[in-house]
Amino acid sequence: MDARAVKELVDEWMIPTPPGAYMAGIENRPVIARAEGVAVYDTNGKRYLDFGSGQMAAALGHNHPRYVASVKRSLETISHSTKTFLNVDRLELHRRLGEILTRPLQKSLFLVSGSDAIEAAVDMARKATGGVDVLALNMALHGSTSFVTRSLTFGWNRSRHGLAAPGTSAILAPYAYRSPFGDEPDFVEKCLDLSFEIADSNFTGRPAAVIVEPVLSAGGVVVPPPGYIKALRQRAHDRGMLLIMDESQTGLGKTGRMWGHQHEDIVPDIMTVSKHFGAGLPVSAVCTTPAIAERAVGNGYFATRSHACDPIVCAAGVASIDIIQEEGLVERAAAIGTRVQAELRDMMQEIEAIGDIRGRGVLHGIELVEDRKTKAPANELARAVVQQCQEAGLLLQARGSHGRLNVIRLVPPMTSSDDEIDEGMSTLRKALSTLQKTRRLQAA
Ligand SMILES: Cc1ncc(COP(=O)(O)O)c(C=O)c1O
């Protein structure tokens, strides 16, 4: 598409979108026209490896044939239906999801987006406990709905949104790389002692829940240290609170286990699922135990949306679970993780701007710094890497929190072949080493 025509359309019809981690405005970025597997193509036919998995929701690759077949079948039979009746695909998705949940998690309800699911999970925790206050980590992203989920999204600039929802406050994320006591053996306890000393003084009523991602993805791909989540759950339970796990980005295989919490030797009380749950269509779920469901519903709990239980999205959800199980994608994600981490460790020897590498399964973060000693975040370098990779046919994002946008987030689909992984990693290495050379020349 002609660049001028795109700009005219954007200027005339679109509410402006903030630049985020990109160097160029949205009107100067590629216009996506189609996709096939791990690749997307722009309107000029240029191919890009999609190592952002779309908006983290194309972890099965784009247009998986099995998903396409299910959606087509649904379009030809029934795609939308009243949620006040059951439908065949909805019943099947409850069963299939229930079968792969970690017990005692068993029951689910469906919504549309990840933010919906978090809103509904918070409400469920409040109704099940009779409490109000909800804690989230100060680098977390839990959604963009204008009240509850934004208020629990401390990794963005919360002050931008005016009034925050009552009963929402932050605790310290266990960010070992930047914590003054990140290297200490009792880091987990120190982090939680500080967090709950403040939280206990903040509580306005009875506390209801603490919410956490198994890997803090948008905040900068922070993997909590071993034992942190288990200890967090204990502190929550000591106060009568429930542990909500937001598995939007980590669920359904992405970390190399079916669920991110399976790395932690715990089961959450409530869990949310979204992103590639619909293999490309929007559907999300709140999952919990029969006992918690019964308590919440007994206190008036319900959550729904007009399109939440549509046969078309439920059929897509069933296809997603089929693909993950039949193609062994959980194991494949673990194998991709090993391959990517080995390559990143090697890159770290050569590229001094890499301060830290983190990740699990297909979800990886490369933290870029001006200097390994000062750890000053290299935001501009991260932007340049994203831009250069994009020009070379590789899509990825820069993420972070609190003014830092210096973590290159790499999320190749779980269906990527070794050749595709190697191609993407080689493009990334080239971009990093070219930019490193340019910076050295500028500094000289
Ligand atoms: C961890 C996490 N939770 C919730 C959400 C919100 O999901 P959605 O954009 O589908 O509302 C996101 C979005 O990226 C997310 O990363």
Side-chain angles (χ1 to χ4, degrees):
M1 242 175 131
D2 171 59
R4 211 170 50 196
V6 173
K7 181 158 173 36
E8 277 170 16
L9 285 170
V10 168
D11 286 349
E12 186 162 8
W13 301 111
M14 278 179 63
I15 295 174
T17 56
Y22 293 92
M23 291 186 113
I26 198 164
E27 68 281 7
N28 296 314
R29 294 178 219 151
V31 178
I32 302 298
R34 66 184 184 89
E36 199 181 314
V38 178
V40 296
Y41 296 82
D42 69 14
T43 46
N44 301 316
K46 180 170 170 177
R47 168 183 175 269
Y48 303 84
L49 274 182
D50 187 3
F51 276 24
S53 283
Q55 197 56 45
M56 301 282 294
L60 310 179
H62 294 273
N63 306 342
H64 192 290
R66 186 164 195 136
Y67 152 78
V68 173
S70 291
V71 170
K72 268 192 187 153
R73 181 203 30 92
S74 178
L75 284 171
E76 284 159 7
T77 49
I78 178 167
S79 57
H80 166 72
S81 167
T82 168
K83 60 191 165 43
T84 58
F85 290 0
L86 293 171
N87 65 67
V88 176
D89 294 296
R90 174 183 179 180
L91 275 173
E92 179 66 357
L93 186 57
H94 280 296
R95 181 174 73 82
R96 295 296 304 283
L97 177 60
E99 282 172 354
I100 58 170
L101 293 177
T102 326
R103 294 288 177 265
L105 298 177
Q106 180 183 335
K107 301 219 164 192
S108 57
L109 62 83
F110 302 138
L111 292 159
V112 179
S113 69
S115 307
D116 283 345
I118 297 297
E119 294 257 354
V122 166
D123 192 30
M124 176 182 277
R126 286 177 169 160
K127 296 236 166 44
T129 59
V132 175
D133 291 284
V134 180
L135 302 174
L137 273 55
N138 72 333
M139 293 171 72
L141 186 156
H142 292 299
S144 52
T145 45
S146 53
F147 207 40
V148 172
T149 66
R150 263 189 188 166
S151 300
L152 291 167
T153 291
F154 296 95
W156 285 342
N157 188 353
R158 198 166 89 129
S159 59
R160 233 182 11 200
H161 306 305
L163 201 63
T168 54
S169 52
I171 56 173
L172 200 58
Y175 188 14
Y177 182 64
R178 290 188 182 277
S179 166
F181 39 84
D183 290 332
E184 296 175 22
D186 56 353
F187 174 51
V188 165
E189 280 68 40
K190 278 203 170 126
C191 214
L192 288 170
D193 285 348
L194 277 175
S195 291
F196 278 89
E197 191 168 334
I198 307 271
D200 285 336
S201 8
N202 266 335
F203 291 146
T204 51
R206 262 178 62 195
V210 56
I211 176 166
V212 65
E213 297 163 78
V215 175
L216 285 86
S217 178
V221 194
V222 172
V223 181
Y228 173 83
I229 294 208
K230 196 170 187 175
L232 176 67
R233 179 176 181 269
Q234 189 57 52
R235 305 252 179 158
H237 283 184
D238 291 347
R239 290 162 175 79
M241 305 162 85
L242 300 181
L243 181 76
I244 302 174
M245 279 214 131
D246 179 346
E247 293 253 14
S248 274
Q249 300 237 12
T250 51
L252 293 168
K254 271 211 200 112
T255 65
R257 303 260 172 96
M258 184 60 86
W259 305 108
H261 65 259
Q262 289 171 337
H263 293 271
E264 307 293 346
D265 184 31
I266 58 115
V267 185
D269 302 299
I270 300 174
M271 179 178 93
T272 63
V273 190
S274 61
K275 301 283 185 190
H276 71 281
F277 184 36
L281 282 179
V283 57
S284 60
V286 180
C287 311
T288 193
T289 68
I292 292 173
E294 195 181 318
R295 272 207 312 274
V297 172
N299 288 323
Y301 179 77
F302 82 98
T304 187
R305 296 285 184 277
S306 300
H307 287 285
C309 304
D310 279 354
I312 194 165
V313 294
C314 293
V318 172
S320 170
I321 295 175
D322 280 343
I323 295 164
I324 292 165
Q325 290 186 323
E326 287 167 15
E327 297 187 10
L329 292 186
V330 180
E331 296 74 21
R332 177 67 195 143
I336 290 175
T338 308
R339 197 172 186 93
V340 169
Q341 284 292 325
E343 179 64 17
L344 289 178
R345 275 196 300 276
D346 191 60
M347 267 189 223
M348 207 172 166
Q349 312 284 324
E350 186 196 325
I351 315 286
E352 65 218 22
I354 301 182
D356 196 22
I357 47 179
R358 305 184 282 268
R360 263 185 190 149
V362 292
L363 174 54
H364 302 274
I366 306 157
E367 176 141 9
L368 299 180
V369 290
E370 298 292 346
D371 175 316
R372 282 190 184 167
K373 277 210 184 78
T374 65
K375 299 183 179 176
N379 288 6
E380 283 316 306
L381 176 62
R383 278 202 177 90
V385 171
V386 171
Q387 178 74 28
Q388 193 142 323
C389 286
Q390 180 192 302
E391 283 161 18
L394 174 68
L395 300 184
L396 27 76
Q397 290 188 341
R399 304 305 309 222
S401 54
H402 305 282
R404 293 182 298 264
L405 261 180
N406 63 324
V407 179
I408 301 293
R409 186 175 66 183
L410 203 70
V411 200
M414 301 191 280
T415 45
S416 308
S417 67
D418 284 351
D419 284 350
E420 286 163 332
I421 294 292
D422 294 347
E423 181 189 336
M425 296 309 287
S426 142
T427 305
L428 175 62
R429 187 192 277 261
K430 258 188 226 142
L432 280 163
S433 55
T434 309
L435 287 161
Q436 173 160 286
K437 273 185 209 130
T438 315
R439 276 155 62 95
R440 277 203 197 123
L441 284 175
Q442 282 165 349

